Amino acid sequence: MLESLITSKTRLKLLLKFFLNSNTRSYLRSLADEFNESTNSVRVELNRLSEAGLLETEPDGNTILYRANKNHPLFPEISTLVKKYIGIDHIIDHIVSKLGDLKLAMVTGDYAKGKDSGIIDLVLVGNINQLYLIELVKKAESLINRKIRYIILTDLEYEKQFKSISNQKILVLYK
């Protein structure tokens, strides 16, 4: 769907990277390495997105740090479009909202870093009906054509294990 609208694969990867999780920040060389593309092709697209005002730049020594411009008028729409492309909107509609006593739902791993790897990692905190969750995950996977892995934590487990990991990239879906 989005590939037919945005014909540059590099631009699409950058939009996913920066608009899936708007707290993501990155450098040209790390993006080129991550995408397995030349720095020149990544630089061209970074410049286009920056000139359009969709990305902000920040000097960091001899390099430039890029991030999504949350103040751009199209930021909410692009972010929503990217989430729909990945299928996170279906996860929210079909899984998160119907689980019962759910306190927190987060995406971790590649998608939280803005990478479309085909596997979505969910962390769910609360008292959740696991049999119903399995049913919902199967339905959501067929809708979004991606694999969903999940872990269920109690409040105490979350406090002890997960919350202490402060440098891990997360994308909060429900709180």
Side-chain angles (χ1 to χ4, degrees):
M1 164 188 84
L2 212 48
E3 298 92 353
S4 61
L5 184 62
I6 301 169
T7 56
S8 166
K9 291 183 191 305
T10 304
R11 189 176 313 143
L12 182 57
K13 289 176 186 177
L14 288 169
L15 290 173
L16 289 170
K17 177 78 174 174
F18 292 113
F19 286 85
L20 189 58
N21 185 348
S22 61
N23 294 323
T24 298
R25 300 169 11 173
S26 196
Y27 301 99
L28 169 64
R29 289 197 190 278
S30 65
L31 291 166
D33 290 344
E34 179 181 324
F35 299 161
N36 197 25
E37 295 189 27
S38 71
T39 53
N40 192 45
S41 64
V42 175
R43 180 183 296 114
V44 166
E45 294 302 336
L46 285 170
N47 288 341
R48 285 182 179 152
L49 293 172
S50 297
E51 288 169 10
L54 295 171
L55 295 181
E56 294 178 330
T57 60
E58 175 185 330
D60 187 23
N62 293 333
T63 59
I64 297 174
L65 188 61
Y66 294 88
R67 69 175 168 263
N69 180 0
K70 297 177 189 176
N71 296 319
H72 192 280
L74 293 177
F75 174 82
E77 284 79 8
I78 293 173
S79 184
T80 300
L81 186 64
V82 166
K83 288 175 183 170
K84 283 183 179 183
Y85 170 74
I86 296 299
I88 290 177
D89 61 325
H90 286 295
I91 292 173
I92 294 168
D93 290 345
H94 289 92
I95 296 178
V96 173
S97 63
K98 300 176 182 178
L99 285 178
D101 187 19
L102 180 68
K103 304 239 188 320
L104 180 66
M106 300 175 290
V107 172
T108 62
D110 286 344
Y111 281 95
K113 295 174 189 170
K115 297 179 191 174
D116 185 1
S117 66
I119 300 174
I120 298 175
D121 294 308
L122 287 177
V123 176
L124 305 169
V125 180
N127 186 13
I128 295 164
N129 180 339
Q130 292 186 29
L131 294 175
Y132 188 52
L133 175 62
I134 292 168
E135 243 179 78
L136 293 173
V137 165
K138 285 180 186 176
K139 288 179 186 176
E141 285 177 338
S142 67
L143 285 170
I144 65 174
N145 295 321
R146 287 171 175 78
K147 179 77 175 146
I148 300 172
R149 292 187 298 204
Y150 60 87
I151 183 170
I152 301 170
L153 302 173
T154 64
D155 291 338
L156 186 59
E157 289 170 331
Y158 172 73
E159 290 292 327
K160 283 184 175 179
Q161 297 172 6
F162 199 83
K163 200 170 184 178
S164 63
I165 304 171
S166 59
N167 62 350
Q168 182 168 353
K169 298 257 184 188
I170 62 167
L171 176 60
V172 176
L173 298 177
Y174 177 85
K175 191 170 186 177

